[in-house]
Amino acid sequence: MNQPKIWLSSPHMGGSEQKYINQAFDQNWIAPLGPNVNGFEEDLKKYLFSTGHGSKENSIAALSSGTAALHLALILLGVERGDEVLCQSLTFAASANPIVYQGATPVFVDSEAETLNISPEHLEEAICSRITKGKKPKALIAVHLYGMPYKVEEIHSIAAKYEIPVIEDSAEALGSTYNGQKCGTFGDLAILSFNGNKIITTSGGGALVTRTAEMKEKAVFLATQARDVAPHYQHSHIGYNYRMSNICAGIGRGQMEVLDDHVAKRREMHQFYQDFFINSDNVKVFSEPDENIFSNHWLTIIELSGKNSLTSEALRKHLEKENIESRPLWKPMHLQPVFKDAPFYGSGIASAAFERGLCLPSGSNLREAEKERIANALKGFFEEKKEKLEI
């Protein structure tokens, strides 16, 4: 009989979420507005800008998903049909899909090897190439992959040089920092995600981080069907049903109370894998390249050499037999059938990472017995492949 499944990254409730949910029910605030929505936005703002970066004008709009936040960010930056938007290729499809919602074309950029995030070299190559073709990109979507901050200074310097606004996709990076500044505070606009598998969850949900209160007001207007000020229902713009509910926001308020603890436990799991593979020449655990980068390690990823059949797919299947979930890295967008005709600039880093990489169970709620199961399963695989490991 199989043991209970060990998930890659499952929701982890802190205990106080129910208090906020009960308040919503008691007050009959069930709609996509209410005290929890306002409170959650303030909690996020306080957390993100607690290090002194930003200003009083920075604002946050709680929305139904990170995808919705990214879609609104593109609209707010004026992205329209026929425009081009630069986007990191090694990412989840939700980073790229909203570009197409707007009728624009994604231009995909390869990764650099240290963080697996967008490559400064290929980013500038892509910008210059598109400008030469008469298509200066309207915006750049840069992603903090698996919680690992991208090279903020280099990327934003290039974007500023060519006057291209940056949408910071921090869906996976709440709690990560670059030079002591929280991810989600660097972009002209930034997005967060609270999907069920993220560091904290609202069941489903996301947020848009803006530099001004006026920008937030525009986002909320669009997210609530763009209803004009009138006693009747009048619409001068196309709107969307993208606002977060007061119930989901209540879950988020409770989750904010345990966010730092969740980050600490994810980092403990990352250290667990670092210790496990410390004597292996054929497995690399992706970690921060320098002390300026602090990752929440939402997911720990490893890269296998391929020697002696040490492949990511072989390990994934082995763990699956032990009822342990692992997952390949995101398949790069430029390799996806739906984006086969989109421009791509790179040298193969993202493709190689996809071929050799694997995401291991990283949840903040993994118990010692489950860690032992993971360790035993990994030992079994590497002993089978004649790879010596110690832990």
Side-chain angles (χ1 to χ4, degrees), residues 223-280:
T224 50
Q225 298 293 15
R227 181 185 175 188
D228 293 338
V229 178
H232 51 277
Y233 285 87
Q234 178 168 302
H235 305 272
S236 304
H237 302 270
I238 295 297
Y240 307 89
N241 185 17
Y242 279 171
R243 203 68 161 110
M244 181 180 285
S245 81
N246 199 51
I247 297 295
C248 289
I251 299 173
R253 295 210 72 186
Q255 287 275 279
M256 287 298 294
E257 296 179 9
V258 294
L259 172 54
D260 286 337
D261 182 60
H262 284 195
V263 171
K265 291 186 181 301
R266 297 264 178 172
R267 288 177 60 81
E268 285 177 14
M269 277 305 302
H270 181 78
Q271 188 63 51
F272 168 84
Y273 291 119
Q274 281 189 306
D275 293 341
F276 187 92
F277 291 113
I278 194 169
N279 293 317
S280 174

Side-chain angles (χ1 to χ4, degrees), residues 11-12 23 53 110 149 155 213 218 226 258 323 340 343:
H12 184 190
Q23 287 176 0
H53 301 93
D110 206 352
I155 297 303
K218 289 181 181 178
V258 294
N323 213 19
K340 60 182 174 61

Side-chain angles (χ1 to χ4, degrees), residues 30-311:
I30 310 300
L33 76 167
N36 282 335
V37 175
N38 298 333
F40 187 41
E41 290 173 346
E42 285 303 312
D43 292 343
L44 286 167
K45 180 177 178 178
K46 182 179 179 181
Y47 181 83
L48 288 177
F49 297 101
S50 61
T51 55
H53 301 93
S55 70
K56 292 182 179 179
E57 282 294 297
N58 288 108
S59 296
I60 295 174
L63 302 168
S64 58
S65 68
T67 310
L70 216 161
H71 186 200
L72 291 180
L74 292 168
I75 294 171
L76 292 173
L77 291 177
V79 173
E80 299 175 339
R81 183 170 300 279
D83 287 335
E84 293 188 347
V85 177
L86 298 153
C87 183
Q88 185 165 313
S89 183
L90 187 57
T91 186
F92 181 48
S95 298
N97 286 341
I99 300 171
V100 182
Y101 298 169
Q102 287 303 101
T105 298
V107 176
F108 294 116
V109 181
D110 206 352
S111 299
E112 41 81 11
E114 287 189 317
T115 70
L116 295 184
N117 287 309
I118 193 164
S119 161
E121 176 187 353
H122 293 303
L123 172 62
E124 188 153 27
E125 175 193 359
I127 293 171
C128 292
S129 173
R130 303 323 291 175
I131 290 175
T132 299
K133 296 176 187 298
K135 297 290 291 185
K136 179 183 175 181
K138 198 70 172 283
L140 161 64
I141 298 172
V143 185
H144 302 296
L145 190 71
Y146 298 118
M148 184 69 72
Y150 60 78
K151 295 185 175 181
V152 173
E153 291 176 353
E154 293 179 61
I155 297 303
H156 285 254
S157 176
I158 293 169
K161 177 180 177 181
Y162 296 96
E163 299 182 327
I164 297 173
V166 178
I167 299 173
E168 180 189 359
D169 186 340
S170 196
E172 301 168 359
L174 186 60
S176 299
T177 65
Y178 183 89
N179 281 341
Q181 183 174 341
K182 296 283 178 63
C183 291
T185 66
F186 294 102
D188 293 277
L189 291 160
I191 71 110
L192 306 172
S193 173
F194 311 112
N195 193 31
N197 61 359
K198 295 300 191 297
I199 288 281
I200 62 168
T201 183
T202 58
S203 174
L208 179 66
V209 185
T210 69
R211 288 192 172 181
T212 67
E214 180 184 11
M215 194 71 83
K216 176 193 172 175
E217 289 175 10
K218 289 181 181 178
V220 171
F221 170 72
L222 293 169
T224 50
Q225 298 293 15
R227 181 185 175 188
D228 293 338
V229 178
H232 51 277
Y233 285 87
Q234 178 168 302
H235 305 272
S236 304
H237 302 270
I238 295 297
Y240 307 89
N241 185 17
Y242 279 171
R243 203 68 161 110
M244 181 180 285
S245 81
N246 199 51
I247 297 295
C248 289
I251 299 173
R253 295 210 72 186
Q255 287 275 279
M256 287 298 294
E257 296 179 9
V258 294
L259 172 54
D260 286 337
D261 182 60
H262 284 195
V263 171
K265 291 186 181 301
R266 297 264 178 172
R267 288 177 60 81
E268 285 177 14
M269 277 305 302
H270 181 78
Q271 188 63 51
F272 168 84
Y273 291 119
Q274 281 189 306
D275 293 341
F276 187 92
F277 291 113
I278 194 169
N279 293 317
S280 174
D281 295 327
N282 292 319
V283 179
K284 175 182 178 181
V285 180
F286 274 94
S287 303
E288 293 92 336
D290 59 62
E291 60 184 14
N292 295 322
I293 291 178
F294 176 93
S295 175
N296 64 13
H297 291 300
W298 170 56
L299 293 183
T300 291
I301 59 177
I302 61 172
E303 182 181 281
L304 290 86
S305 67
K307 298 177 182 177
N308 301 320
S309 301
L310 289 171
T311 66

